[in-house]
Amino acid sequence: MRFGLALPSMAPPRRLVDLAVTAERSGWDGVFVDDHIQMPAATALEPHDPWVLLGAIAQTTGRIRLGAMVTPLSRRRPQKFAKEVVTLDHLSGGRVITGVGLGNLPEEEFAAFGDAASLKERAERTDEALDVVSALWSGERVRHQGAHFTVDAVMRPVPVQRPRPPIWIACGWPNARPLARARRWDGVVAIDRQRGFMEPEEVRRVVEALGPAAPGFDVVAIWSPGRAAEEYAKAGATWLLRALPPADDWLAALEAAAAESPE
């Protein structure tokens, strides 16, 4: 099982880059930055752009996997997203993991900018955009005429990773529909939206609900405080992510976590 550290895009950018460097030195396997445009006003949290942050992290690290966890793809232009991921994959030497979800802030990140806020349309746009992005990464001509996107293009360069960077799909457990989406790709990020983490017993149920998976398929869980990593491994998790909720000592706690070996 591999270990990842979730970094908040709301923190000062230079400290986030330093955190990633520290995490790599301490033996963490991945660092992942959330992808938000704005947060609810009551939180007073101010997010930075994850792709600029990840570009800086790619240049200051050499081993650790990295990516946005997760990108609400339905509010993105698939060709722009595809190009960003390819560029980051080249900058990092093939270390990108692509996290995709529907988004959980429909008012702040969709309706506020005139994008479709309904869950149904976000799901439709996400599925179509994933097909477009994956096809563009092939380097072959893509001719696509769908309900939301039209493409007739060849996009190059292709990613370093072939046939593509891994695509992980976020699943707000116990919602079963994202599991069906995840089966088409390379992994699932299981999240309890109320608590923000998963218990090992819940991860086991996710694995059972997924059924037989393709070789290399990842089951990613958010670490529950106080639970042993071995419990998650036995439940079927392949990645365990440590995420800390916003608090007065948020950055200090993250820096302490990054400085310690995850195992």
Side-chain angles (χ1 to χ4, degrees), residues 48-215:
H48 293 281
D49 182 83
W51 301 97
V52 176
L53 289 169
L54 289 166
I57 290 170
Q59 289 295 281
T60 52
T61 58
R63 172 192 58 82
I64 206 163
R65 301 301 297 266
L66 47 89
M69 206 58 61
V70 295
T71 295
L73 190 50
S74 68
R75 63 169 168 77
R76 302 292 300 276
R77 300 175 69 192
Q79 66 270 30
K80 182 69 165 63
F81 178 77
K83 183 64 74 175
E84 289 169 346
V85 174
V86 166
T87 302
L88 184 61
D89 207 40
H90 280 261
L91 274 174
S92 66
R95 292 185 281 136
V96 175
I97 296 173
T98 312
V100 171
L102 300 189
N104 62 346
L105 299 173
E107 295 303 319
E108 290 80 5
E109 295 197 314
F110 293 86
F113 298 96
D115 294 320
S118 78
L119 195 59
K120 181 177 184 295
E121 186 167 346
R122 280 186 278 155
E124 291 173 353
R125 292 178 68 89
T126 296
D127 286 330
E128 188 176 340
L130 280 167
D131 288 337
V132 170
V133 167
S134 181
L136 288 171
W137 285 341
S138 72
E140 303 297 327
R141 179 164 292 280
V142 178
R143 291 185 173 90
H144 174 90
Q145 181 70 56
H148 303 287
F149 305 107
T150 299
V151 179
D152 185 356
V154 176
M155 179 174 283
R156 291 181 183 153
V158 298
V160 173
Q161 299 177 83
R162 305 304 293 152
R164 62 170 180 262
I167 295 174
W168 289 351
I169 302 297
C171 171
W173 181 253
N175 187 354
R177 291 186 178 181
L179 289 181
R181 180 175 297 112
R183 288 188 197 100
R184 298 180 52 216
W185 301 104
D186 308 301
V188 62
V189 183
I191 304 169
D192 183 294
R193 293 201 181 279
Q194 300 301 315
R195 299 192 309 260
F197 56 81
M198 295 284 285
E199 299 291 350
E201 297 80 8
E202 294 170 313
V203 174
R204 185 175 293 106
R205 290 198 289 273
V206 169
V207 172
E208 292 170 352
L210 278 167

